[in-house]
Amino acid sequence: DGVEVLMTTIALPMYKDGVFLGTIGVDIVLDTFAKMANSIKVFDTGYTFLIDNYGVMVGHKNKDYLGKDILDITNNSQDYKNLLLNSKENKPYSFTKISENTGSESFYYSTPFELKGTDTYWNFVVLAPTTEYLGNAIFIRNFSIVASLIGLLLIAGVIYLSVRKLNSNLSDISIGLEGFFKYLNKESTTTNDI
């Protein structure tokens, strides 16, 4: 309708009994993929995006990226080169790096998916900021450290008080025994209770 849109076309040959009948194709407006990518919530600031088999961004929350080559956007990042190479072999790929959008260290996980019957793999990528997906683990680590320190201080306090009490008791026994032996040696005429 005269509106400029970013589209992709998927076409498949049709055969019957080994005879080529024709080609069927479908045009997909890439705004659909951008909406799908934006609808997925990953922690607080994480997000998802889609990359086609040529490395072109087809779904991303940043509309400026749509239709652009991922390697151009990321200045030929080796991680994205590896992502695209693994995609061609239908292998997932993950890496950690500073996000171009959020500016924070993030974990990226890419899983390729085949466009049915085409041997063509697109990538679904999830980006999760490290501090967000490790938030519970960091809390547990910090809690464990604090609890351990408090436990050590309590144990040290109990040991200190026990040693003081034991030292006091041993001192009383020692003084009592000295008095008893003085009494036995007739150096004293009285003894003290221990």
Side-chain angles (χ1 to χ4, degrees):
D1 294 333
V3 177
E4 202 171 299
V5 294
L6 186 61
M7 301 180 85
T8 188
T9 301
I10 300 171
L12 294 171
M14 295 176 53
Y15 294 94
K16 182 176 181 182
D17 300 326
V19 177
F20 176 73
L21 298 176
T23 303
I24 186 168
V26 63
D27 289 329
I28 301 172
V29 178
L30 295 183
D31 286 348
T32 305
F33 291 116
K35 288 175 186 170
M36 285 173 31
N38 287 334
S39 69
I40 299 171
K41 183 105 170 109
V42 181
F43 297 103
D44 292 329
T45 59
Y47 56 91
T48 61
F49 56 94
L50 292 168
I51 305 170
D52 76 2
N53 60 312
Y54 296 110
V56 174
M57 190 72 71
V58 293
H60 198 281
K61 72 178 200 164
N62 185 340
K63 292 187 183 210
D64 294 336
Y65 289 176
L66 296 178
K68 294 185 180 171
D69 190 303
I70 189 70
L71 296 178
D72 291 340
I73 295 169
T74 61
N75 298 318
N76 287 319
S77 167
Q78 187 61 47
D79 288 316
Y80 283 103
K81 286 180 183 178
N82 293 341
L83 181 149
L84 294 173
L85 288 173
N86 279 301
S87 172
K88 291 180 191 322
E89 298 172 10
N90 194 23
K91 293 181 184 173
Y93 184 71
S94 62
F95 57 94
T96 302
K97 68 181 295 168
I98 303 296
S99 167
E100 287 83 10
N101 277 323
T102 64
S104 62
E105 182 180 84
S106 299
F107 177 75
Y108 292 75
Y109 182 80
S110 165
T111 185
F113 62 93
E114 181 183 8
L115 298 176
K116 192 87 171 160
T118 64
D119 288 330
T120 301
Y121 295 96
W122 286 19
N123 284 291
F124 179 75
V125 183
V126 177
L127 175 146
T130 306
T131 54
E132 291 178 24
Y133 83 84
L134 289 178
N136 290 336
I138 291 168
F139 172 77
I140 290 170
R141 179 200 62 192
N142 293 343
F143 180 80
S144 297
I145 290 170
V146 170
S148 297
L149 289 174
I150 290 170
L152 284 174
L153 288 175
L154 287 173
I155 291 170
V158 168
I159 290 173
Y160 175 74
L161 293 174
S162 296
V163 167
R164 278 190 59 177
K165 183 66 175 165
L166 181 63
N167 192 23
S168 172
N169 290 342
L170 287 176
S171 179
D172 289 345
I173 291 172
S174 177
I175 290 169
L177 284 175
E178 279 181 30
F180 178 70
F181 286 122
K182 283 183 183 179
Y183 175 77
L184 286 178
N185 289 333
K186 299 194 189 244
E187 295 172 11
S188 170
T189 56
T190 60
T191 61
N192 295 329
D193 289 340
I194 299 175

